[in-house]
Structures are given as structure tokens and as C-alpha cells.
Amino acid sequence: MTVRGQLIRFALVGVVNTGTYYGCYLVLLTWLPYVAAHVAAFVLSMIGSFFLNSYFTYRTRPTWRKFLLFPLTNAANFTITTCGVYLLVDVLGFSRTYAPLIAAAAAIPITFVVSRTIMLRPDPGAYAEPSPAAGPTVGPPSGSAPVPSRAARIDK
């Protein structure tokens, strides 16, 4: 799949994720202060985003390793949206109802780059095809399927 195709799928997942986040945020806002509602809704939507991006955007198998690294994809997003929500509500006087949507839009490009890097990064120990310039190597014969290491066979 091309980067463009992944970006389009990422955007579609983003729409679903934003709707999930915003719905959770509005429900939680009835019981919690807006920052606590934002944090809780963010965590819930991030879990859903991981699985949608694994299966739909990048078409990779979710692993524990990727799941544990996935929050890094949202670290910049979390910082930008949390600061954005605060600035929009407390400094600029925007409605606490709409501020998260504006803040989320500002974080999209950074989140895509980091997400793509983590989700498509090979797991450690996975067999990598050598480049032709690397010369002779020890491994499976040319044209045969690589034999994954024990670490690559175990879902991390």
C-alpha cells in the first residue's frame, strides 16, 4: 500500500477516533472536570485507534510490542491537544465543548508520521533480506521463504 493510501486510511481512522473521543468526552464531561474528561476519553479512543490502525490503516498484525509502543505515537498528540484545550478554554475563552476538536486538528500530521514509523517497524529478531550490495550472507537460499526466529514467531 502506498503512503498516500495509508494517509487516507489514517485520516478515516482519525475521523472514527475523533468521534469516539468526542462522544466519550461529552459523556464524561457530565461527571468530571474538562481536563479529566479529556484524559479519560483520550485513553479510551487511543486503544480503539491502535486496533483500527493495525488492521485497517497499515494492515499489520497487532502485537504486544506495538501496543506498548503505540502510546508514543500519541505523545505529541496528547501534548498538543491537552495544551490546546487548556489554551483555547482558559486563555482564549473558547467553549469547552468545541475546543478539543480544534486542538485535535493541529496534531494530525505529527501523529501520522510517528504512528507509521512504529506500526511498520519490523519486530526485533525478524529476518531481514540482505541488499544485493551486501555480498554473500549466511541464511536461507535465494528465493526461499525466510525462517523466522523464535522471537519473531512469538506474538510480543
Side-chain angles (χ1 to χ4, degrees), residues 61-66 121-128 147-156:
R61 182 175 46 105
T63 63
W64 278 109
R65 180 181 177 276
K66 289 176 183 175
R121 184 181 195 176
D123 285 337
Y127 180 83
V147 177
S149 68
R150 175 170 159 61
R153 291 189 306 253
I154 298 174
D155 205 23
K156 294 182 182 178

Side-chain angles (χ1 to χ4, degrees), residues 120-145:
L120 295 180
R121 184 181 195 176
D123 285 337
Y127 180 83
E129 284 290 328
S131 68
T137 59
V138 176
S142 180
S144 68

Side-chain angles (χ1 to χ4, degrees), residues 47-56 58-70 118-121 123 152-156:
I47 293 168
S49 178
F50 169 75
F51 288 104
L52 286 172
N53 277 304
S54 290
Y55 290 118
F56 180 70
Y58 303 113
R59 298 183 182 198
T60 62
R61 182 175 46 105
T63 63
W64 278 109
R65 180 181 177 276
K66 289 176 183 175
F67 182 77
L68 295 173
L69 287 174
F70 193 74
I118 287 177
M119 297 302 282
L120 295 180
R121 184 181 195 176
D123 285 337
R153 291 189 306 253
I154 298 174
D155 205 23
K156 294 182 182 178

